Amino acid sequence: MSTSDKAWKGRFSGPTDAFVEHFTASVGFDRRLYHHDIRGSKAHAQMLAAVGVLTGDEAARICDGLAAIEAEIDAGQFAWSVAREDVHMNIEAVLTERIGETGKKLHTARSRNDQVATTIRLYLRDQVDQLLDRLHALMQTLVGIARAETDTVMPGFTHLQVAQPVTLGHHLLAWFEMFMRDYARLSDARVRINVLPLGAGALAGTSFPIDRHLTARLLGFAAVTENSLDSVADRDFLIEVTADAALTMVHLSRIAEELILWSTPQFGFIELADGFCTGSSIMPQKKNPDVPELLRGKTGRVTGHLVALLMLMKGQPLAYNKDNQEDKEALFDTLDTLSDSLRALTELLPATTFHRERMRAEAGRGYATATDLADYLVRHGMPFRDAHEASGKAVRLAMDRGVDLAALSLDELRQCAAVIGEDVFAVLTLDGSLAARNHFGGTAPTQVQAAVERAAARLRALKQVE
Ligand code: ARG
């Protein structure tokens, strides 16, 4: 393309090198911002008309022209041009082709620097709202399953060794809590996204009598940025979302890892639905947990984006630098990956079969009630350290005999501690152990039932705030 088509043609006499044109272009990926770019431009034109920089008629023609372009892009009929570099210049150039001289006035009192900062905030705000909806749906699903599993016994693990019995509902609500914090973090990031940078111009503001608060109102921003240099220079708001996304992916990855383990024949706790798995081309017996594995795998990618964005910012002097164009692919892929990952888990969980009998059997096999025996001895006057040792002896005895603690006879148990009485068997059972953990935040089925209802109420409250 010749110099005559560039926005900066006045200063230049030679054309842009063809490779450099390709190297500097972002339209290949930033075109997805067109809705939000057009929205920002319309508000800018309306504001310019309100303060008398444009006539009402000019603003109306600009807005109509932009609406027509938007419809054309929606319909897939817009001809994007790499020579026009990015989404902003593509739209503005076509606007001018369509409506003539008036199109050239849209960029009055604006720079692409504050334009792109505005566009990306508008876009990200919508994306964050969609992610919040996805998180909400996932939490709703977890609460639904937890409600049905408040007294399903399973082994609880530390160091991936059977530790103490818990309920499946309790375990699922642990996942719920992670996502609840993710939701809070993302909502909080939204507050810092929702501020209008437009009016910062290239970096120092503008000599036109703009009304930034009007533009903010038109675009639904809760506030206006305080400093023009900062407005165009920083991308911390999107790094923050990426950090939040990385953390959510880490949560998804941990859950995925559990699902992968639980679906092995060795654990046998769950069966994933066929639709979420694939077979092997060579080993007929295989059913591979592809979806959880991908959740785990995609976590690395999002974490990588976070590091990329942090490195992108670290050496930049104020104010805007072209480096910032590199924020987009990392951000977009982060948002897409997180959204799909949340959706995948939300759809996979209800299609999963939980093998309750197997979970109970495994909880009964790992001496999971040894702590309960120690606690019992403490209640009978033994100091905890001695009780721990006595209970450990009982475990050894049971291991030698190849049975669980509850299967030892009273005589055998008394060899470990003389104070043990007939009532010990009530605490050595899985249900006795669970029922004993009867406090706020504990795994007793009644507590888990209450926790499920609190979780459901917290989800309802989130929707009422909106
Ligand atoms: N495509 C650019 C970006 O993403 C728009 C801003 C360009 N501004 C400039 N002065 N070159 O950041």
Side-chain angles (χ1 to χ4, degrees), residues 134-349:
R134 285 230 183 274
L135 273 168
H136 198 276
L138 173 55
M139 288 190 284
Q140 198 85 59
T141 299
L142 283 171
V143 168
I145 303 174
R147 183 178 274 120
E149 309 290 350
T150 54
D151 55 6
T152 304
V153 188
M154 66 177 279
F157 298 89
T158 62
H159 314 273
L160 202 54
Q161 307 285 328
V162 172
Q164 292 173 353
V166 294
T167 65
L168 174 58
H170 199 52
H171 196 109
L172 295 172
L173 287 183
W175 295 353
F176 172 91
E177 291 301 327
M178 300 175 190
F179 294 125
M180 203 59 169
R181 289 191 297 276
D182 290 334
Y183 191 102
R185 265 186 288 271
L186 208 48
S187 309
D188 194 50
R190 191 189 191 283
V191 175
R192 283 173 291 283
I193 295 166
N194 198 20
V195 186
L196 174 81
L198 202 65
L203 75 164
T206 173
S207 57
F208 292 95
I210 56 172
D211 181 351
R212 299 185 62 209
H213 291 92
L214 171 59
T215 317
R217 274 200 302 285
L218 291 171
L219 293 173
F221 282 111
V224 169
T225 54
E226 290 279 343
N227 180 289
S228 65
L229 294 169
D230 176 55
S231 306
V232 291
D234 210 348
R235 296 288 183 267
D236 58 354
F237 60 92
L238 64 80
I239 297 180
E240 197 179 337
V241 169
T242 307
D244 294 347
L247 207 42
T248 304
M249 288 301 300
V250 167
H251 287 153
L252 288 169
S253 183
R254 298 187 66 178
I255 292 167
E257 172 65 8
E258 294 193 316
L259 293 172
I260 292 163
L261 287 170
W262 292 359
S263 68
T264 59
Q266 287 73 19
F267 271 80
F269 287 4
I270 59 172
E271 170 137 14
L272 298 170
D274 287 356
F276 291 85
C277 299
T278 59
S280 160
S281 56
I282 169 168
M283 297 165 284
Q285 85 283 10
K286 292 292 287 292
K287 180 167 167 185
N288 297 328
D290 296 47
V291 171
E293 285 175 312
L294 282 172
L295 290 176
R296 194 175 58 186
K298 285 174 189 291
T299 303
R301 195 159 128 177
V302 173
T303 307
H305 293 323
L306 172 60
V307 176
L309 289 170
L310 288 167
M311 291 306 102
L312 176 66
M313 290 313 301
K314 78 174 273 290
Q316 288 192 49
L318 295 185
Y320 176 86
N321 302 282
K322 184 79 167 182
D323 312 43
N324 284 337
Q325 182 165 288
E326 287 288 306
D327 62 357
K328 292 177 194 58
E329 286 158 295
L331 177 68
F332 295 161
D333 189 64
T334 295
L335 298 169
D336 293 347
T337 304
L338 179 58
S339 178
D340 284 353
S341 300
L342 290 169
R343 176 180 170 177
L345 186 62
T346 306
E347 292 181 7
L348 173 142
L349 286 173

Side-chain angles (χ1 to χ4, degrees), residues 8 24-27 29-30 33 85-89 111-117 202 235 320-328:
W8 51 82
T24 54
S26 56
V27 66
F29 49 85
D30 69 11
L33 297 172
E85 192 179 322
D86 60 21
V87 61
H88 320 289
M89 306 274 260
S111 152
R112 259 190 306 155
N113 297 352
D114 58 347
Q115 182 181 0
V116 68
R235 296 288 183 267
Y320 176 86
N321 302 282
K322 184 79 167 182
D323 312 43
N324 284 337
Q325 182 165 288
E326 287 288 306
D327 62 357
K328 292 177 194 58

Side-chain angles (χ1 to χ4, degrees), residues 37-51 53-54 59 62-63 66 92 105-111 114-115 118 122 196 198-201 206 208 210-212 214-216 218-219:
D37 186 60
I38 287 174
R39 195 166 164 213
S41 289
K42 282 179 168 172
H44 181 64
Q46 283 170 278
M47 181 279 290
L48 289 179
V51 300
V53 171
L54 292 181
I62 287 172
C63 289
L66 288 171
E92 191 192 313
K105 295 188 177 181
L106 169 61
H107 213 52
T108 313
R110 184 174 81 166
S111 152
D114 58 347
Q115 182 181 0
T118 304
L122 284 171
L196 174 81
L198 202 65
T206 173
F208 292 95
I210 56 172
D211 181 351
R212 299 185 62 209
L214 171 59
T215 317
L218 291 171
L219 293 173

